[in-house]
Amino acid sequence: MFKGLFQKKKVNTAKPEIVMDLSNLDLNNIPQHVAIIMDGNGRWAKAQGKIRTYGHQAGAETLKTIVRAADKLGIKVISAYAFSTENWKRPVTEVNFLMELLSRYLTNEIVEFKENNVQVRFIGSREGLPAKVQEKMDHAIAETKDNTGIILNLAINYGGQAEILHAVQTVAAEVAAGRLQVEDIDKQVVEDALYTRGLPPPDLLIRPGGDLRISNFLLWQIAYAEIWITDVFWPDFTPEHLVDAILAYQGRERRFGGLISK
């Protein structure tokens, strides 16, 4: 059904060099965890006079470039919002395309992930995902689990509220089984029940596409993340935009609810 959309042109496949102006960047103050809401794919495609699926395919290519750029900058984790729990409401043809795109992405990029020492992880629920996609996810995890470079944390069938609900249920089950006392429930207990267990909270949340909302992404984890929004659609997002976001991050005072002593 989507064969024509996925056909590759016979062109030079050499990866373009990542070019960034780092002259104003403080390389000692790079956010360790960057979360990205990859928004604007469909609107980008419409502006190009093409159907929405072309935008999603272009967005997948952008993600590869940004992960390479983030690794070059010293970022340790990229959490990318690939498919939300609400995205199932989209037309069936678009959902099917996204599942096929994800499957192909996880197939085609494994070699590059291994060559570039990228570790792939996933957050979200497996419920409802096609068996083929789940198999590709498991394969990606197994093939990259020993990599020690940047972590690409893909949010698939993910919703922040669903994650918190899952964490509450997990903790409640521990209490019901007598393995945990209510008075022992603290922040760490909850965080250990989240999908992101073991990862640091995001320092920076980037939202392309211009919308001024969080869209149910990492609601617990971004409590004190700095937020950077751009009108640029995700397929047009470049390493230079990533640098701009980090420059903005470096220009802010992170007080975490307190005051900075002068």
Side-chain angles (χ1 to χ4, degrees):
M1 181 177 182
F2 302 114
K3 184 177 179 181
L5 292 178
F6 287 113
Q7 287 177 343
K8 293 184 178 180
K9 297 178 181 179
K10 295 181 179 180
V11 296
N12 182 3
T13 56
K15 293 187 281 293
E17 181 183 357
I18 299 293
V19 178
M20 296 177 284
D21 180 4
L22 308 183
S23 59
N24 295 316
L25 211 58
D26 179 0
L27 296 178
N28 295 313
N29 184 24
I30 298 294
Q32 296 301 285
H33 185 171
V34 176
I36 304 175
I37 300 173
M38 301 184 292
D39 197 21
N41 294 337
R43 285 175 287 165
W44 176 87
K46 185 177 179 180
Q48 307 296 314
K50 298 180 180 180
I51 58 178
R52 290 176 57 84
T53 48
Y54 278 96
H56 295 309
Q57 193 167 2
E61 294 298 316
T62 296
L63 179 60
K64 290 194 296 184
T65 300
I66 296 304
V67 170
R68 288 175 57 214
D71 189 35
K72 187 173 181 178
L73 289 168
I75 294 168
K76 302 302 182 184
V77 184
I78 287 285
S79 287
Y81 208 2
F83 189 88
S84 76
T85 50
E86 289 72 39
N87 287 157
W88 295 108
K89 301 174 185 177
R90 294 186 176 186
V92 173
T93 52
E94 184 172 348
V95 170
N96 289 342
F97 179 88
L98 288 168
M99 292 297 114
E100 180 67 19
L101 178 62
L102 177 60
S103 178
R104 287 176 179 264
Y105 183 85
L106 294 176
T107 299
N108 297 336
E109 303 308 319
I110 287 299
V111 172
E112 184 170 335
F113 289 150
K114 293 174 73 173
E115 288 178 350
N116 292 284
N117 202 24
V118 177
Q119 184 183 127
V120 183
R121 299 189 189 183
F122 300 93
I123 57 173
S125 171
R126 294 284 187 105
E127 185 177 352
L129 291 177
K132 179 181 177 181
V133 170
Q134 295 190 50
E135 290 170 5
K136 299 295 184 182
M137 292 166 68
D138 289 336
H139 181 66
I141 292 170
E143 288 293 306
T144 67
K145 64 182 176 61
D146 295 324
N147 290 349
T148 57
I150 190 171
I151 295 172
L152 174 57
N153 188 42
L154 289 170
I156 298 170
N157 195 22
Y158 174 88
Q161 292 177 333
E163 179 185 25
I164 293 172
L165 177 59
H166 176 267
V168 170
Q169 292 171 335
T170 299
V171 173
E174 290 295 297
V175 172
R179 292 187 291 266
L180 180 68
Q181 299 300 311
V182 171
E183 57 269 22
D184 292 330
I185 299 173
D186 58 13
K187 179 182 177 183
Q188 191 60 55
V189 168
V190 175
E191 290 184 346
D192 285 345
L194 295 173
Y195 297 139
T196 52
R197 178 180 180 179
L199 292 177
D203 300 298
L204 174 63
L205 172 67
I206 295 174
R207 172 137 201 174
D211 285 335
L212 305 178
R213 54 179 175 266
I214 297 168
S215 294
N216 200 19
F217 190 41
L218 299 175
L219 298 180
W220 176 284
Q221 296 88 339
I222 63 169
Y224 284 103
E226 298 297 324
I227 300 175
W228 190 80
I229 295 172
T230 176
D231 289 333
V232 173
F233 295 140
W234 176 245
D236 284 333
F237 194 90
T238 67
E240 285 293 349
H241 291 120
L242 179 60
V243 170
D244 288 343
I246 296 174
L247 283 171
Y249 165 86
Q250 292 181 347
R252 301 179 188 178
E253 284 187 349
R254 303 194 72 198
R255 296 187 297 275
F256 299 96
L259 296 175
I260 302 296
S261 299
K262 295 292 187 178

